[in-house]
Amino acid sequence: MRQDDDVLPVPGALRAGGPGTSIRSRQVAYGRDAVERLGRAPSADSSALFTRAAQRRNLTGDLLAQARAARQEIVRRARGIAELAGMAETIALTTDECAVLRPPYGRSIHLPSPDRPYAHLAVHTGQGRVSVTPVWVTAGGGNVAMSTVENRIKARATALDPLVALSISAGIGSQISYEVNGFVRQSPDPERELIRTLAETYSTRRIREQRDGNYTSWDQRERNARLRLEVLAYRVRNELGDDPTFRSAPYVEALAPRYDDADLPLSFGRSSHDGFWGPDENYPQDEPELREARDELAILGMVRQASGQGYRSLNSTYGHLASFDHSGLLRCRQVGFDLVDVKGEARIAFLVDSRDCGALRRAPTAAMSVAKYHSGSVWLQSQGLISLHDDPDAVRAAIRRLEARYNRVHHRLAFDLSWQRRAPGSYVLATLSHQRLSSRFREAARSARSADTDRK
């Protein structure tokens, strides 16, 4: 099913009066109707709108008119989604889950890095592509709330497809985490109240003296309006204890997959595992190499061995991996990872439960976000395709390295797409190709190149 180009009219509020059973049945019907419309896969023109509305320099004439029209359409769709999301039956976070997001011990600010609870937000950007980035978050009314700037990737993506996934960790190196799937409801924040609250909670109280996070100079540099993004959960996987627990709304199985087969990129290994040293995928490259990027290796908590062969772990940084599950819905899980060289490319490597290989072969698109906050905002996102390697020696070596790096049982580090508790199975080693590699350092370099081009 595809979402119509126009957002359907939203039912009005129920009038008082009439038999109670009749009112309850109408409320349930409205809730199902809202969920049905929210759960449809994005329309065919969503990807084009997403691209046309992107912030680009020096647009003129027809291109500028198209960009403005696309942005207006995205805002219109966001308003319709916000009204529908308020009618859907969703799940409130528990007291323990909300407590992860609040400063401990009655403090007004979070403890110094890395003991700060950042969330990693995964969004569907159209045609089976995903993006995942670290964000400041807070809990309110049983929901997770965050702030973004109008027309950023998070804002455009959630206006066109409200289904998102959140991986929430109690700290950069913390084993405590949980996962949330939900609908995003956008609302204007003209006074920038939420970002100011988040800035005070995550850094110093004086905004222009921030020492951490993504918004060191946001008060001076931003021109676009601020938005509040609120995630209304329809599924939660809680791993705050020894065993995961699950809560899910009854309509989850009716939500449509977020891609068509025509949207998915072809990759080696759709019908069988790749040999570990098998051929690389054909993909458009955007500075994919990590081998000599020492700053980015440091974000991953790794360093190149002096011998030039392999990598050594510096600290137990976790990654947050976004992909599609067996139903074609977004997932975002905290996982342990390593670095390996595949055909000369330094790839992020991790373990996958072998029972999930079919879903990953069918939809190999994925992205991983890694954050390292110490003296400033440092992050890295790798977007690409998952390749599966069935070399048993490589799997055993990966298990040993992950257990040594994280001092943790390996099946708690592996990527698992199941929503039900299941005994640990066998594992396959997966690697993520770098179709696009983004980081604080690369984005700064791109901005400098863009500014040089403008001056010329």
Side-chain angles (χ1 to χ4, degrees):
M1 297 177 66
R2 287 289 186 181
Q3 192 175 29
D4 295 334
D5 290 346
D6 292 330
V7 176
L8 298 176
V10 178
L14 293 174
R15 296 182 179 178
T21 55
S22 174
I23 292 177
R24 284 195 296 270
S25 65
R26 290 180 66 188
Q27 288 175 328
V28 170
Y30 281 158
R32 289 176 179 171
D33 181 62
V35 166
E36 194 275 332
R37 282 184 274 177
L38 289 168
R40 295 175 187 170
S43 58
D45 70 334
S46 292
S47 294
L49 279 174
F50 182 87
T51 302
R52 285 201 298 269
Q55 192 74 39
R56 290 170 288 171
R57 293 176 179 268
N58 302 327
L59 290 181
T60 59
D62 291 342
L63 291 178
L64 179 59
Q66 291 176 9
R68 287 175 174 171
R71 292 168 191 168
Q72 290 173 357
E73 174 63 12
I74 285 175
V75 170
R76 187 182 71 85
R77 294 193 184 191
R79 290 172 181 163
I81 285 173
E83 294 185 45
L84 290 171
M87 299 180 182
E89 177 187 352
T90 56
I91 300 171
L93 298 184
T94 66
T95 302
D96 288 342
E97 290 161 355
C98 290
V100 171
L101 303 177
R102 299 192 184 104
Y105 317 119
R107 297 167 58 97
S108 59
I109 62 173
H110 284 297
L111 295 173
S113 299
D115 302 315
R116 301 185 182 192
Y118 294 93
H120 292 253
L121 175 68
V123 298
H124 178 214
T125 58
Q127 293 186 312
R129 298 187 299 267
V130 297
S131 175
V132 56
T133 50
V135 290
W136 289 346
V137 287
T138 188
N143 301 321
V144 178
M146 66 201 75
S147 180
T148 191
V149 176
E150 188 178 52
N151 205 42
R152 291 274 177 88
I153 288 178
K154 293 185 286 290
R156 284 182 282 139
T158 55
L160 296 169
D161 185 357
L163 272 68
V164 301
L166 275 175
S167 177
I168 301 174
S169 172
I172 298 300
S174 176
Q175 299 180 4
I176 299 174
S177 66
Y178 62 96
E179 179 185 2
V180 175
N181 287 86
F183 308 114
V184 166
R185 177 169 60 191
Q186 293 189 14
S187 58
D189 188 8
E191 302 300 323
R192 302 185 176 186
E193 294 180 2
L194 179 56
I195 187 58
R196 292 179 185 278
T197 299
L198 291 171
E200 289 182 354
T201 304
Y202 276 84
S203 58
T204 62
R205 291 190 173 278
R206 307 178 81 176
I207 290 178
R208 295 183 182 179
E209 296 180 6
Q210 291 179 64
R211 299 178 183 177
D212 201 357
N214 291 330
Y215 302 101
T216 302
S217 59
W218 68 265
D219 199 32
Q220 299 172 344
R221 73 170 183 260
E222 289 183 0
R223 296 295 181 267
N224 291 342
R226 271 273 164 188
L227 297 174
R228 175 189 176 95
L229 305 185
E230 190 173 12
V231 180
L232 285 66
Y234 60 78
R235 191 163 54 182
V236 179
R237 175 185 172 116
N238 181 324
E239 296 188 71
L240 302 183
D242 293 333
D243 294 311
T245 60
F246 308 89
R247 307 194 307 281
S248 181
Y251 51 76
V252 171
E253 296 301 323
L255 300 175
R258 312 325 281 177
Y259 56 80
D260 279 339
D261 288 339
D263 295 334
L264 298 176
L266 294 176
S267 69
F268 293 96
R270 284 176 69 94
S271 58
S272 63
H273 295 174
D274 293 342
F276 188 73
W277 301 108
D280 292 336
E281 297 86 351
N282 295 317
Y283 54 81
Q285 295 187 12
D286 183 4
E287 303 175 278
E289 189 52 64
L290 266 173
R291 293 184 64 170
E292 302 303 325
R294 289 177 295 178
D295 291 332
E296 289 167 347
L297 289 177
I299 297 174
L300 300 176
M302 308 292 289
V303 66
R304 189 82 177 168
Q305 296 276 26
S307 64
Q309 301 296 319
Y311 302 86
R312 177 169 57 88
S313 174
L314 297 175
N315 50 64
S316 56
T317 304
Y318 288 91
H320 298 262
L321 183 68
S323 72
F324 295 104
D325 65 11
H326 295 271
S327 301
L329 300 178
L330 267 181
R331 296 290 303 275
C332 191
R333 290 284 311 280
Q334 177 171 283
V335 297
F337 67 90
D338 196 4
L339 280 186
V340 299
D341 284 335
V342 178
K343 299 291 285 185
E345 177 186 88
R347 291 193 186 181
I348 295 173
F350 48 95
L351 295 175
V352 170
D353 192 299
S354 60
R355 290 164 289 191
D356 297 324
C357 289
L360 296 176
R361 290 192 201 101
R362 182 169 185 270
T365 304
M368 182 178 284
S369 173
V370 180
K372 185 179 180 66
Y373 293 83
H374 184 62
S375 59
S377 169
V378 182
W379 53 270
L380 180 144
Q381 178 187 192
S382 176
Q383 295 169 286
L385 302 177
I386 290 178
S387 295
L388 303 172
H389 312 282
D390 58 359
D391 183 336
D393 292 334
V395 172
R396 285 193 290 269
I399 290 175
R400 289 195 298 269
R401 284 178 59 85
L402 289 174
E403 288 183 328
R405 184 180 189 195
Y406 295 97
N407 191 27
R408 190 178 178 192
V409 178
H410 62 266
H411 70 260
R412 292 293 301 275
L413 296 167
F415 189 61
D416 179 3
L417 291 175
S418 172
W419 278 102
Q420 303 299 324
R421 184 188 306 175
R422 62 187 187 187
S426 59
Y427 299 96
V428 170
L429 183 64
T431 59
L432 182 62
S433 65
H434 308 308
Q435 286 189 317
R436 179 176 177 83
L437 190 65
S438 305
S439 73
R440 178 189 184 189
F441 309 104
R442 290 177 191 262
E443 295 305 319
R446 290 188 185 106
S447 296
R449 289 198 301 267
S450 179
D452 290 341
T453 301
D454 290 345
R455 284 194 292 268
K456 293 177 182 179

